[in-house]
Amino acid sequence: MRKSVLLIMMLFAVSMAANAQKFALIDTEYIMKNIPAAQSANEQMQEATKKYQSEVEALAKEAQKMFQDYQAKSSTLSAAQKTKTEDAIVAKEKAAAELKRNYFGPEGELAKMRDKLITPIQDDIYEAVKAISQQHGYDLIIDRASATGIIFANPRIDISDEILRKLGYSN
């Protein structure tokens, strides 16, 4: 009886080991920092962001100045002039909001720039991860950069450097 229970437990342990899943970690932030094209793309995105932000802020400041001028002169303006000035201020504020949406919105210039510059690099990383996953039989690869629930991970399961080598970049 003992031998059969022991045999069953050993078979169970072997079957559990056979069904063990292989997994690995990558750090996409680390990978992106080590790809020159990604660094260049990030710099272009930052420059565009600064440029667009300054344009939006300039338009918003114009609207603010118009409002301050209106407040200072409102006692001397006729009702028609007040209405006309208020409409101009509202139009300027709407123009600033529209410009902000055109630059920073989901369909804006920055989103288009990101699709053009960053997405192809991310697609290459994905293809490299997929190839290495199939090559080594990984069932799961977790991105350390986006997995906030990871408290500790053994560095030996991090395959970020292998991904970089697959993409043609060495450390």
Side-chain angles (χ1 to χ4, degrees):
M1 173 95 166
R2 277 186 162 181
K3 287 183 180 181
S4 61
V5 170
L6 185 59
L7 180 64
I8 291 173
M9 289 180 66
M10 285 178 58
L11 286 174
F12 180 74
V14 169
S15 69
M16 290 298 288
N19 290 331
Q21 295 178 337
K22 287 180 68 176
F23 57 93
L25 289 176
I26 63 169
D27 187 342
T28 53
E29 287 178 8
Y30 170 78
I31 293 169
M32 294 288 277
K33 285 179 185 175
N34 285 285
I35 297 176
Q39 290 301 307
S40 174
N42 280 331
E43 289 169 8
Q44 290 178 42
M45 296 277 296
Q46 288 173 354
E47 288 173 18
T49 299
K50 287 177 186 175
K51 177 184 171 218
Y52 296 156
Q53 187 65 36
S54 66
E55 288 180 29
V56 169
E57 286 174 1
L59 206 53
K61 284 180 183 178
E62 285 179 35
Q64 182 67 27
K65 179 155 179 19
M66 287 173 68
F67 180 71
Q68 289 170 347
D69 291 346
Y70 168 75
Q71 285 181 321
K73 298 177 185 176
S74 67
S75 60
T76 62
L77 298 174
S78 67
Q81 289 173 321
K82 283 182 180 181
T83 302
K84 182 179 176 184
T85 306
E86 289 168 357
D87 289 344
I89 294 168
V90 169
K92 187 65 79 168
E93 289 172 343
K94 282 183 180 178
E98 181 68 17
L99 187 63
K100 184 175 183 177
R101 188 182 63 75
N102 287 340
Y103 285 151
F104 301 106
E107 303 289 324
E109 292 300 315
L110 278 179
K112 291 175 187 173
M113 183 180 274
R114 186 179 198 314
D115 286 344
K116 179 182 168 195
L117 297 174
I118 304 288
T119 302
I121 297 168
Q122 290 175 328
D123 290 345
D124 289 345
I125 292 170
Y126 172 78
E127 290 302 322
V129 168
K130 184 177 170 185
I132 289 173
S133 170
Q134 291 170 347
Q135 178 183 357
H136 295 290
Y138 293 122
D139 295 307
L140 176 68
I141 296 181
I142 299 169
D143 182 6
R144 177 184 298 218
S146 63
T148 57
I150 296 176
I151 296 171
F152 170 78
N154 193 327
R156 70 180 168 79
I157 65 171
D158 190 328
I159 61 169
S160 300
D161 288 327
E162 189 173 351
I163 300 298
L164 283 168
R165 284 190 297 277
K166 179 81 173 170
L167 291 169
Y169 304 99
S170 62
N171 277 0

